[in-house]
Amino acid sequence: MVVNSSRESAMIASPSFALRPAAILVALSLMAGTAVAQDIKVNLDVPYVPTPQAVVERMLDLADVKKDDYVVDLGSGDGRMPIRAAERVGARGLGVDLNPDRVSEAKENAEKAGVSDKVSFRVGDLYEESLSDDVTVMTMYLLSRVNLDLRPRILNGLKPGTRIVSHAFDMGDWTPDRHEKVEGRDVFFWVVPAKVDGRWTLRDGDSELQLDLTQQFQKVQGVVRGDGRYHSLRGVSLRGDEIRFSFERDGKTREFVGTVDGDTIEAQGDAKWSARRNS
Ligand SMILES: C[S@@+](CC[C@H](N)C(=O)[O-])C[C@H]1O[C@@H](n2cnc3c(N)ncnc32)[C@H](O)[C@@H]1O
């Protein structure tokens, strides 16, 4: 995956960029109070560069943000992502930024837009922020290295099905579900996949079969063993907690669509099958 390295270098070259340790300085600035906080330099992991409005709109389109969503922007700048999500569809939102000036600006912008009952902003370090599992959409305009640092927390801390949209920077070998150019900018979209790796017992009607799945992010391969024979899975797809696959058995194609919930998979619709993970 090609990353827009020229943009990354431009961001790093920004005069407002300085190195960590950020958290200590923010703690000091908070302890010192707002008036003094203005004078204390905040060491950021990413400089402030706002996402152009057309890109904001497309990111929200790609994430298909609806009224029931809870949109979190880590490194929220002037608050434009959650504010716009609230304006468009009434979604709830949260923005977290290490720079107290940005947080004040975002709160003012939310007031002006009439959405301060829907969105909140707070000073915080994205490296410390716990990702609550009621987040349904996460937006980011950070840097490749920061995205990679966040990746394990996204994959392990957010619910399967959570949509992630990143402006300009990808997530290494977690290939995006969609990638678009908007006004020359890269926009990447992922859906957090359920964890399906392992050996499962698949109960299909009266049959008990062994299902082995191997997973790399949302990409899954597998085989089923039954009647002493192996059947390769075909058309395997995993989107959030929904898994689909098929295989040939007794000359017939069997299609499976199920919902993953921890160590079980339940059939969707009227189909009579289920799977339980053994290991
Ligand atoms: C490139 S700007 C993106 C702003 C906004 N998300 C947008 O798309 O317009 C990155 C933001 O991350 C903030 N930031 C940098 N390091 C941070 C950290 N460790 N924790 C939280 N925010 C941080 C900066 O203050 C800046 O506002």
Side-chain angles (χ1 to χ4, degrees):
M1 181 63 56
V2 178
V3 183
N4 190 339
S5 55
S6 60
R7 184 162 300 126
E8 185 157 9
S9 341
M11 282 172 78
I12 290 170
S14 156
S16 61
F17 183 83
L19 291 174
R20 296 193 137 240
I24 298 166
L25 287 174
V26 168
L28 280 173
S29 71
L30 290 173
M31 283 158 63
T34 316
V36 183
Q38 307 291 328
D39 296 324
I40 294 179
K41 189 173 166 65
V42 178
N43 289 283
L44 302 170
D45 293 282
V46 186
Y48 176 56
V49 183
T51 296
Q53 205 54 45
V55 180
V56 171
E57 301 296 338
R58 190 61 197 143
M59 287 171 76
L60 297 174
D61 288 345
L62 270 177
D64 194 21
V65 175
K66 300 265 192 328
K67 189 174 192 310
D68 289 342
D69 280 313
Y70 182 41
V71 179
V72 172
D73 192 34
L74 290 183
S76 46
D78 66 359
R80 59 186 58 207
M81 293 295 317
I83 289 173
R84 191 66 194 122
E87 279 182 323
R88 275 171 48 142
V89 293
R92 286 183 308 124
L94 169 69
V96 177
D97 204 290
L98 198 51
N99 187 339
D101 292 347
R102 291 279 96 77
V103 171
S104 307
E105 196 182 336
K107 285 180 176 169
E108 276 169 31
N109 289 340
E111 282 287 337
K112 280 187 215 149
V115 295
S116 41
D117 58 329
K118 292 279 179 194
V119 296
S120 57
F121 294 95
R122 64 170 178 250
V123 177
D125 184 347
L126 61 86
Y127 279 97
E128 309 291 329
E129 200 62 31
S130 65
L131 302 178
S132 82
D133 70 0
D134 57 346
V135 177
T136 57
V137 174
M138 198 165 111
T139 58
M140 306 186 298
Y141 182 21
L142 300 167
L143 291 169
S144 300
R145 174 184 50 81
V146 182
N147 281 4
L148 279 181
D149 289 342
L150 284 173
R151 195 175 85 176
R153 285 164 57 210
I154 291 172
L155 288 164
N156 300 322
L158 295 177
K159 280 191 307 286
T162 306
R163 291 100 76 203
I164 315 293
V165 205
S166 170
H167 171 194
F169 301 107
D170 70 6
M171 285 228 238
D173 57 353
W174 181 13
T175 52
D177 294 295
R178 288 187 69 171
H179 171 207
E180 287 189 6
K181 287 263 186 204
V182 183
E183 297 191 338
R185 314 280 185 125
D186 288 293
V187 174
F188 301 95
F189 171 77
W190 301 260
V191 178
V192 173
K195 292 189 170 45
V196 297
D197 212 47
R199 175 158 291 177
W200 301 71
T201 299
L202 174 65
R203 291 206 167 76
D204 182 20
D206 295 335
S207 313
E208 194 171 287
L209 308 165
Q210 178 182 300
L211 171 66
D212 286 317
L213 297 177
T214 51
Q215 171 174 25
Q216 199 196 14
F217 307 106
Q218 71 276 53
K219 295 190 180 141
V220 179
Q221 294 182 315
V223 288
V224 165
R225 196 176 73 171
D227 321 323
R229 298 174 60 194
Y230 284 94
H231 313 272
S232 294
L233 297 190
R234 300 203 185 136
V236 190
S237 83
L238 177 67
R239 188 182 164 93
D241 61 4
E242 183 182 275
I243 188 163
R244 293 170 177 264
F245 57 88
S246 64
F247 59 87
E248 296 274 331
R249 194 167 170 229
D250 303 330
K252 290 188 193 133
T253 302
R254 300 272 300 115
E255 307 268 358
F256 296 78
V257 183
T259 305
V260 184
D261 181 7
D263 289 331
T264 60
I265 307 176
E266 293 297 337
Q268 289 185 8
D270 299 332
K272 297 270 179 292
W273 67 274
S274 65
R276 172 161 285 279
R277 182 159 30 204
N278 316 323
S279 59

